[in-house]
Amino acid sequence: MDHAHTSHTVRGYCALCTAHCATIATVTDGKVVQLEADTDHPNGGVFCIKGKAAPELVYHPDRLNYPLKRTRPKGDPDPGWQRISWDEALYDIAERLNFVRETYGPRALAIAKGTGGGTSVSDVERWLSRFINRFGSPNWVSTTHVCNWHKDTGFTYTFGVELPTPDVAHSNAFLLWGHNPSATSLILAHDIVAARKRGMKIVAVDPRRVGIASQADVLLQVRPGSDGALALALIDVLITENLYDEAFVRQWTNGPLLVRLDNGTPLVESDLAASGSPEKFVVWDEAAIAPVIYDPATGNLAEPSARAALLGEYRVRSKDGGEIPCRPIFAELAKLAARYRPEPSESITHVPSAKVREAARLLAANRPLSIYMYNGVGQHTNATQTNRAIAVLYALLGDFDQPGGNVVFPKAPMNVVSGKEFLPKEAAAQRIGRERKPLGPPAKPGNCAAYDIFTAILEDRPYPVKAILNFGSNTVMSTGDSERARTAFRAAEFAVAVELFMTPTAELCDYVLPATSFLEMATLTNDFKHRRQSRLHLQYRPAVVPALAERRSDTWIVFELAKRLGFSRDFWDGDVEAAYH
Ligand code: SF4
């Protein structure tokens, strides 16, 4: 290094996807010139080409540098962008938002955010949530419905928690399904390769022979969209070849509970005796050849020595003296899976049956098993049920929350600032899309689908939405039917984009605000994934370089708008650093 130059390094992490790889940035003469992996960090040692190129985001000539205001109508090919001051922009936007709130009610505002998988939204997400909750609108828009809903919710419906961290360092087998961590989540790819070197087996489900899939011991090249049939074929092999963990299924799953064949509902104690509880279930004791009550509140059988049947069909005497035909839930699963036996389902999945059998045997013989799966499953209409089939498959092998399985590791605690307490329950119930999808993405904050918001803008259904704020969300391009999206943006009374570049969405907004890239802003996170040691990590990431031109962090913009809307007290009087303490 020439002695005339000054250089220093700044430790941080890359925010361009959910992996949050640890980084060391080199700053020479005030300019960030290099980003490389920080090896002395629980999430360190790994870095992808996108992270490496991140300094280009800071200096790209097309970056937005100043607040802009549209001066010509939205239909006009020339928006007539006029450079304005931050004060003017924030004042105008707050005025317009106040107008919307007072005229149409707070629910007439929607806020769209970028995806955590491809933007640095996680740096600001919690503040966006606090802002919209405080504003009083439930309509927070994301791409969750085509991204992670199936994974997070499919596992939650099955296990009670989202897919826990794969403890790859202690696994003897790994099942990778519809995900290529070599292209994203490089930390996981790195750890899989390291485990493979010590002998861990890999089964990959991927139509393409890429990344980890190209190194798999068994690669199942599934026909896209038929993954559910494949999961059931694997389940069938585990059951018919008796490869599943019988003790785990008996002890930890609802497999032994009896289900009525006359009406398809679970058999409950009150079916057997008028004084019985409708909350207690029934299993069949193979030893006593009699039904036994199971109490989910205690997790115990009324007869501790009972051996619950998993297969077979039974007739249980009802309180009326009749007989109720029943089968254990596990037997129902076996029946369903038998319809998708590897041989007949070849025509659905296009995976040779011998490979399916080989994969199931390999997984069962090399426990503990951990798994990871993602978008390959997600971007289909049957994604959540497919995910549940994969979760059931995983449950059959009994390594849930065991060393070397998928483990619920503790996470570094952080105060929750999402502001859920600000949004009245009645308002949350009105989240757009919830009326038609009560169990789907809109059931959770932050998960409205953009196409539903467009219906609200264009057709006032289920009620009118008048304003849309876009934080790092190129909503026009990240949803199907972009022409309809454009029509909706033109029709919206008021729209703002907070962006790095002039995107097709920003072009249709009334104001465009220049955001900082993650290298130009500070943040605090405990959101490190994929490794046991990183789950407990909490890190303050300073700005590597000061923001260029008049760019401002999304967080700063949220706090400033909050101040102007009268929410100062709930936003630390606009002091972002104070909010981190
Ligand atoms: S894997 Fe994600 S977090 Fe890591 S360097 Fe690449 S983009 Fe950044």
Side-chain angles (χ1 to χ4, degrees):
M1 178 68 61
D2 189 315
H3 68 274
H5 297 287
T6 61
S7 205
H8 68 279
T9 57
V10 183
R11 296 180 74 178
Y13 62 87
C14 173
L16 293 181
C17 84
T18 54
H20 288 171
C21 301
T23 57
I24 296 180
T26 304
V27 181
T28 301
D29 297 339
K31 199 170 164 181
V32 53
V33 292
Q34 181 177 288
L35 219 56
E36 56 194 331
D38 182 352
T39 49
D40 183 20
H41 187 288
N43 234 28
V46 185
F47 205 44
C48 86
I49 194 73
K50 186 161 85 168
K52 223 177 170 57
E56 291 178 29
L57 275 180
V58 182
Y59 304 108
H60 197 285
D62 293 343
R63 276 289 299 276
L64 294 163
N65 287 321
Y66 307 99
L68 299 173
K69 175 184 180 174
R70 164 184 296 277
T71 57
R72 301 179 66 80
K74 284 188 194 154
D76 199 305
D78 172 18
W81 292 120
Q82 182 193 334
R83 179 176 161 183
I84 56 172
S85 71
W86 271 105
D87 255 351
E88 188 183 345
L90 293 166
Y91 179 84
D92 286 359
I93 293 168
E95 286 277 286
R96 300 284 294 266
L97 291 179
N98 263 331
F99 176 80
V100 166
R101 189 166 49 159
E102 277 156 24
T103 315
Y104 308 104
R107 67 183 187 174
L109 169 70
I111 294 187
K113 59 177 173 169
T115 159
T119 77
S120 54
V121 69
S122 69
D123 286 349
V124 69
E125 205 161 5
R126 69 188 83 129
W127 306 121
L128 284 177
S129 165
R130 190 174 183 83
F131 179 82
I132 193 158
N133 281 330
R134 182 63 185 82
F135 190 86
S137 171
N139 297 319
W140 201 24
V141 187
S142 73
T143 46
T144 288
H145 58 292
V146 288
C147 181
N148 56 308
W149 176 259
H150 71 293
K151 175 168 78 70
D152 298 345
T153 315
F155 276 97
T156 305
Y157 282 157
T158 311
F159 291 114
V161 290
E162 292 181 5
L163 177 63
T165 308
D167 185 19
V168 183
H170 303 102
S171 304
N172 284 327
F174 191 80
L175 174 59
L176 182 66
W177 200 309
H179 183 55
N180 179 12
S182 312
T184 182
S185 304
L186 216 57
I187 292 173
L188 181 60
H190 171 273
D191 292 354
I192 293 171
V193 170
R196 188 173 188 273
K197 282 195 184 127
R198 63 159 172 77
M200 184 184 78
K201 304 288 183 200
I202 301 172
V203 171
V205 181
D206 197 319
R208 302 183 305 158
R209 192 179 287 278
V210 292
I212 298 294
S214 65
Q215 303 179 25
D217 296 276
V218 183
L219 171 60
L220 306 176
Q221 291 182 283
V222 69
R223 185 163 68 100
S226 68
D227 305 62
L230 179 60
L232 286 166
L234 287 161
I235 288 172
D236 178 70
V237 180
L238 293 182
I239 294 176
T240 54
E241 298 192 12
N242 209 16
L243 299 174
Y244 63 97
D245 187 326
E246 206 176 307
F248 182 89
V249 171
R250 270 209 179 82
Q251 176 72 26
W252 294 107
T253 78
N254 62 1
L257 306 187
L258 293 176
V259 67
R260 296 175 62 142
L261 299 181
D262 55 351
N263 63 13
T265 63
L267 184 70
V268 287
E269 192 185 30
S270 55
D271 290 328
L272 311 189
S275 58
S277 162
E279 309 286 330
K280 292 183 182 173
F281 300 103
V282 185
V283 306
W284 186 261
D285 182 359
E286 286 176 335
I289 317 183
V292 173
I293 304 302
Y294 169 76
D295 184 355
T298 61
N300 291 329
L301 291 169
E303 186 49 66
S305 62
R307 184 183 156 82
L310 293 177
L311 295 167
E313 191 172 316
Y314 307 94
R315 304 189 84 77
V316 180
R317 188 157 299 280
S318 76
K319 60 187 172 196
D320 308 323
E323 283 192 331
I324 306 171
C326 298
R327 244 189 240 129
I329 289 173
F330 185 79
E332 289 290 282
L333 173 69
K335 197 173 148 215
L336 173 67
R339 282 170 42 202
Y340 293 90
R341 198 143 278 167
E343 290 72 21
S345 62
E346 271 186 10
S347 64
I348 306 171
T349 64
H350 296 184
V351 180
S353 55
K355 285 227 163 197
V356 178
R357 292 189 180 279
E358 186 189 354
R361 290 168 190 156
L362 186 128
L363 295 177
N366 292 281
R367 291 176 49 199
L369 164 74
S370 60
I371 72 169
Y372 202 73
M373 39 91 56
Y374 216 145
N375 293 60
V377 172
Q379 293 175 353
H380 298 282
T381 53
N382 55 4
T384 304
Q385 291 308 329
T386 298
N387 196 108
R388 296 196 71 194
I390 296 169
V392 169
L393 166 70
Y394 186 59
L396 293 185
L397 286 168
D399 291 323
F400 181 83
D401 207 21
Q402 299 282 344
N406 284 64
V407 182
V408 185
F409 293 124
K411 195 174 177 186
M414 234 167 102
N415 287 342
V416 177
V417 291
S418 60
K420 205 174 157 195
E421 66 279 11
F422 296 132
L423 190 70
K425 264 205 170 83
E426 317 78 70
Q430 295 171 23
R431 185 170 302 114
I432 289 177
R434 209 168 169 179
E435 72 287 356
R436 287 178 298 108
K437 296 171 274 189
L439 294 179
K444 278 188 172 177
N447 291 331
C448 289
Y451 56 79
D452 283 335
I453 299 296
F454 300 152
T455 304
I457 294 173
L458 295 169
E459 300 169 27
D460 291 350
R461 280 193 296 129
Y463 52 80
V465 162
K466 298 292 182 181
I468 180 162
L469 306 183
N470 302 271
F471 281 81
S473 161
N474 189 359
T475 314
V476 165
M477 303 307 287
S478 59
T479 188
D481 197 352
S482 57
E483 195 42 53
R484 184 166 183 262
R486 286 191 166 90
T487 308
F489 266 84
R490 281 187 210 107
E493 252 185 57
F494 180 56
V496 176
V498 180
E499 259 304 347
L500 301 179
F501 298 96
M502 184 62 81
T503 64
T505 304
E507 278 169 2
L508 292 170
C509 287
D510 299 279
Y511 290 85
V512 177
L513 305 180
T516 53
S517 63
F518 75 94
L519 292 168
E520 302 164 90
M521 68 173 281
T523 193
L524 177 77
T525 198
N526 63 348
D527 192 17
F528 294 100
K529 294 188 171 62
H530 297 312
R531 287 178 178 158
R532 169 197 290 259
Q533 63 271 31
S534 59
R535 297 290 293 166
L536 276 173
H537 194 67
L538 178 73
Q539 186 170 356
Y540 177 77
R541 191 195 71 209
V544 173
V545 286
L548 264 60
E550 289 186 13
R551 304 169 189 169
R552 297 285 185 273
S553 76
D554 304 62
T555 313
W556 182 87
I557 296 167
V558 166
F559 275 55
E560 288 298 312
L561 278 177
K563 261 185 0 193
R564 285 166 171 81
L565 287 164
F567 311 150
S568 267
R569 223 172 43 144
D570 299 315
F571 279 81
W572 292 264
D573 295 322
D575 185 347
V576 176
E577 290 293 319
Y580 289 136
H581 289 114

